[in-house]
Amino acid sequence: MVDRKSEMIRKMLMTPDLEQSKAALKEDPENPELWYQLGMAVGTAEGAEASIDVFSRGLTLNPFNAPLYFGRGRKNIGLRKYDRAIADATMAIRLEPDIWTYWYYRAVPRNLSGDAKGALEDFMQCFRMTPENEHYPLVDWMFLCCLDMGDMQKAKEILNLIDTSMEPHHCMDYAYRRRIRLYKGEIDPENMIDKDDILANAYITQPGRMQLETETLTFGLFAYYTYTGNTEKANETLKTIASFKPSAAFGYLKGSAIARERGLLA
């Protein structure tokens, strides 16, 4: 039996060759797995819009394929098309409700679109569906939802849901663990972004991953300063985030949007 959770992690991390993906699909033009692979390959080569087009064409042939909805929804997040991302994730959930990754990628655009309460509910669903060593990103996001709602007491309670001495399930969760340690006072903000530590412990084999980790950690600093009531440092950090090269990183999307809302951008 295929482990669907492991299968989704594989799909998220795959970097298929574009020409090989096209050739494979030509031999089997209705195969949803091959449409997914092509969507990922096109996304790397041509960008999110082209990737979305591939996933959509795959869905015309496979309208009940959850991974294709999931793939398209993820790409819509990076384009700030949050309603579309939520709709696609909802379809994936209805088709395969036991895959927690789908709940996660509905919760993220719900948070980014301003629906902190709805996002918190989805992240809690993920929390119930996953083992402890996969809880770092969930606790971090639930903490952020509480900050968005202005509920600092609830945010503190959320942090108590995880023991940071536990090793994460995957090195992709490096930044989330480090951010939670910052929120708990186990790391000083001045030492938060440590390139050597990132190189030693984070998942940096994908192109641009070092920048992604840096952006994620930087947003963690903003959250920390918000949590501790240091508005001046929080705003300085938002300006730093907004100065990064535009990307689909959640930290950049959320941080730059808040900076814009606060009138911090020139």
Side-chain angles (χ1 to χ4, degrees):
M1 180 180 294
V2 176
D3 181 345
R4 295 292 291 124
K5 181 173 65 177
S6 298
E7 175 70 4
M8 285 313 305
I9 293 174
R10 182 189 70 81
K11 286 181 180 293
M12 291 171 61
L13 298 180
M14 65 166 51
T15 54
D17 178 82
L18 179 57
E19 295 307 316
Q20 290 180 1
S21 297
K22 288 180 178 178
L25 190 60
K26 189 175 182 179
E27 294 296 318
D28 190 2
E30 295 189 13
N31 188 320
E33 171 67 17
L34 296 180
W35 277 104
Y36 185 91
Q37 290 181 20
L38 182 61
M40 293 294 285
V42 167
T44 300
E46 302 176 26
E49 292 281 10
S51 180
I52 287 170
D53 180 65
V54 171
F55 288 128
S56 295
R57 285 188 284 137
L59 282 165
T60 64
L61 298 170
N62 304 276
F64 303 108
N65 184 265
L68 288 173
Y69 284 108
F70 165 75
R72 189 172 69 176
R74 283 182 71 208
K75 294 300 181 182
N76 274 311
I77 295 175
L79 296 174
R80 300 181 190 265
K81 296 179 179 180
Y82 301 132
D83 287 346
R84 296 183 185 183
I86 293 166
D88 280 338
T90 299
M91 280 299 298
I93 289 168
R94 290 182 178 179
L95 291 165
E96 293 185 341
D98 59 330
I99 304 297
W100 75 267
T101 313
Y102 300 155
W103 293 89
Y104 182 91
Y105 279 94
R106 185 174 73 172
V108 168
R110 291 182 82 174
N111 176 279
L112 294 175
S113 66
D115 182 12
K117 184 175 183 294
L120 182 59
E121 292 172 358
D122 278 353
F123 284 125
M124 281 300 302
Q125 175 67 9
C126 294
F127 188 87
R128 290 188 290 267
M129 296 170 71
T130 51
E132 288 184 352
N133 63 353
E134 294 185 17
H135 284 170
Y136 281 108
L138 306 177
V139 169
D140 188 292
W141 272 105
M142 289 191 290
F143 175 81
L144 296 182
C145 289
C146 293
L147 293 189
D148 290 342
M149 293 186 291
D151 191 340
M152 301 305 170
Q153 179 57 40
K154 181 67 173 178
K156 183 178 180 180
E157 293 171 5
I158 290 294
L159 293 179
N160 291 332
L161 293 176
I162 198 163
D163 177 358
T164 56
S165 66
M166 175 180 58
E167 290 294 324
H169 172 69
H170 196 284
C171 54
M172 284 183 67
D173 292 345
Y174 164 83
Y176 291 114
R177 181 191 193 188
R178 195 160 179 84
R179 285 174 19 158
I180 291 171
R181 293 191 65 207
L182 172 72
Y183 309 150
K184 287 190 169 193
E186 298 172 4
I187 296 176
D188 293 329
E190 296 77 16
N191 300 320
M192 178 63 166
I193 302 174
D194 184 328
K195 183 176 180 180
D196 291 336
D197 194 67
I198 295 172
L199 289 171
N201 298 293
Y203 181 80
I204 56 171
T205 60
Q206 287 183 317
R209 191 74 196 187
M210 174 61 79
Q211 181 61 26
L212 175 60
E213 297 291 352
T214 300
E215 292 176 10
T216 304
L217 293 171
T218 303
F219 188 84
L221 283 170
F222 161 72
Y224 169 79
Y225 290 128
T226 299
Y227 182 52
T228 56
N230 192 334
T231 303
E232 181 179 356
K233 293 290 287 184
N235 285 341
E236 288 178 8
T237 307
L238 286 175
K239 291 179 181 179
T240 298
I241 293 170
S243 72
F244 291 146
K245 180 181 178 180
S247 74
F250 301 150
Y252 175 79
L253 293 173
K254 190 171 177 69
S256 60
I258 297 172
R260 191 173 300 108
E261 290 168 5
R262 295 188 180 185
L264 300 175
L265 304 184

